[in-house]
Amino acid sequence: MKFEFESIGFVRSSHRYPQEAPRQGTLTCECGEIELLPGRNFETALADLEGVERIWIVFVFDRVNSWKVKVSPPQRGDRKKIGVFATRSPHRPNPIGITCAKLEGIRGRILEVSEIDLLSGTPVLDIKPYIPLADSFPDAKTGWRDEVPDQLREVVFSEESVSRTEFILKEGGPDVAEFCRVQLGTRDIDPKRLRLSGPDDRGIFTLAFRTWRILFSREEENICIHTVFSGYTPEELVPAAPDPYADKELHRRFNALFNAAKQA
């Protein structure tokens, strides 16, 4: 049987790239919005939702174009493949997902939410209230996940890395800090999954995220982010060089600011 659905709205969040999105919304304090479409009386459909603390968001994995019978969840360090129906992988026969977000408020046809793990622009199919009596089974067994310890590490940023990640985000670049929290704080550090090199003789790794590079080390159970720098060489940043990611002007401003600060 074939069914057709239309989106009722879209997500707005700071997550633009899959690497920034946490593997579960409860692992982030990220805030965002769901804007429902105009002209369909959705404002009335939201009546009485005020006072509901959490909502289920049914959405489409719109940036996934294939499905897999088995996948290798990032929570497993052994890369063993698991049947896709036993995971929350986006690579599903029908690219539909669910997430339980915290409802912070409603403005007209806009829902303000937090603890959200969705990419900006994600199409929303439905909104449902979370009902603890029906939806919460804290003692339920979770199969293979019961054998996998939760990998929650604190990610600590140096003052230098904070100023650099804040500049990149403010100037329209990716959220490098959130990427570090997601990729290093909640998952096994796996060179086969990450664009990772090292450690060097000081115990420092280099992690690549798009056109940026991150230096970090493991300090007991924590991750320490030392600095962030451009992944482009000086030759690649000359004005005449190709700019396939349309971000070289940001890198030039970044280098001009922080290289000057370093020399001061």
Side-chain angles (χ1 to χ4, degrees):
M1 298 178 67
K2 206 168 185 178
F3 303 91
E4 290 187 3
F5 298 95
E6 291 182 353
S7 62
I8 63 170
F10 296 88
V11 173
R12 284 205 298 256
S13 75
S14 66
H15 299 139
R16 289 178 291 164
Y17 308 107
Q19 301 94 329
E20 295 174 329
R23 58 184 173 90
Q24 298 293 338
T26 53
L27 298 178
T28 180
C29 295
E30 175 70 20
C31 295
E33 294 180 346
I34 299 172
E35 182 173 354
L36 301 183
L37 298 177
R40 297 184 61 181
N41 203 22
F42 286 143
E43 296 90 338
T44 303
L46 291 173
D48 307 305
L49 193 60
E50 288 277 11
V52 173
E53 185 171 337
R54 287 189 170 272
I55 55 173
W56 289 107
I57 304 169
V58 184
F59 64 92
V60 179
F61 288 110
D62 61 316
R63 272 148 272 197
V64 177
N65 54 21
S66 65
W67 80 282
K68 302 175 182 178
V69 177
K70 285 194 169 186
V71 295
S72 179
Q75 295 89 343
R76 296 191 65 107
D78 56 9
R79 295 182 63 80
K80 179 181 177 182
K81 289 194 177 290
I82 303 293
V84 70
F85 292 141
T87 75
R88 297 285 187 91
S89 168
H91 299 282
R92 319 192 73 78
N94 293 306
I96 299 171
I98 59 170
T99 192
C100 189
K102 192 171 182 182
L103 180 61
E104 301 289 352
I106 300 174
R107 294 181 288 110
R109 53 186 171 83
I110 294 176
L111 294 86
E112 300 171 347
V113 293
S114 64
E115 297 184 11
I116 188 169
D117 55 355
L118 303 180
L119 299 180
S120 194
T122 295
V124 174
L125 296 178
D126 200 4
I127 303 291
K128 301 176 187 290
Y130 172 85
I131 303 173
L133 178 65
D135 298 342
S136 178
F137 303 93
D139 297 325
K141 294 182 179 180
T142 59
W144 64 270
R145 291 185 62 95
D146 288 333
E147 304 169 7
V148 179
D150 288 330
Q151 294 167 338
L152 297 175
R153 305 182 191 89
E154 183 179 2
V155 179
V156 181
F157 294 84
S158 68
E159 288 186 14
E160 179 176 307
S161 66
V162 169
S163 61
R164 294 185 176 211
T165 56
E166 288 181 349
F167 176 85
I168 294 168
L169 184 60
K170 181 181 177 182
E171 296 297 317
D175 192 340
V176 179
E178 185 68 7
F179 166 80
C180 291
R181 295 186 190 98
V182 169
Q183 299 296 331
L184 301 176
T186 66
R187 298 176 179 176
D188 189 49
I189 299 175
D190 185 353
K192 294 182 180 179
R193 292 184 185 276
L194 300 171
R195 296 164 60 196
L196 185 68
S197 61
D200 62 15
D201 55 4
R202 299 170 298 164
I204 295 179
F205 295 85
T206 301
L207 175 62
F209 173 39
R210 297 184 65 79
T211 55
W212 300 94
R213 302 295 178 266
I214 302 147
L215 295 185
F216 75 93
S217 60
R218 301 179 71 163
E219 310 289 342
E220 296 181 352
E221 295 302 315
N222 298 335
I223 299 293
C224 180
I225 308 298
H226 298 286
T227 192
V228 177
F229 61 96
S230 172
Y232 288 119
T233 65
E235 294 75 21
E236 291 172 321
L237 288 177
V238 298
D243 191 5
Y245 298 104
D247 67 348
K248 288 190 175 180
E249 180 54 35
L250 170 57
H251 282 260
R252 294 186 191 104
R253 296 199 307 271
F254 176 91
N255 286 347
L257 175 63
F258 292 104
N259 287 347
K262 193 177 245 186
Q263 294 168 5

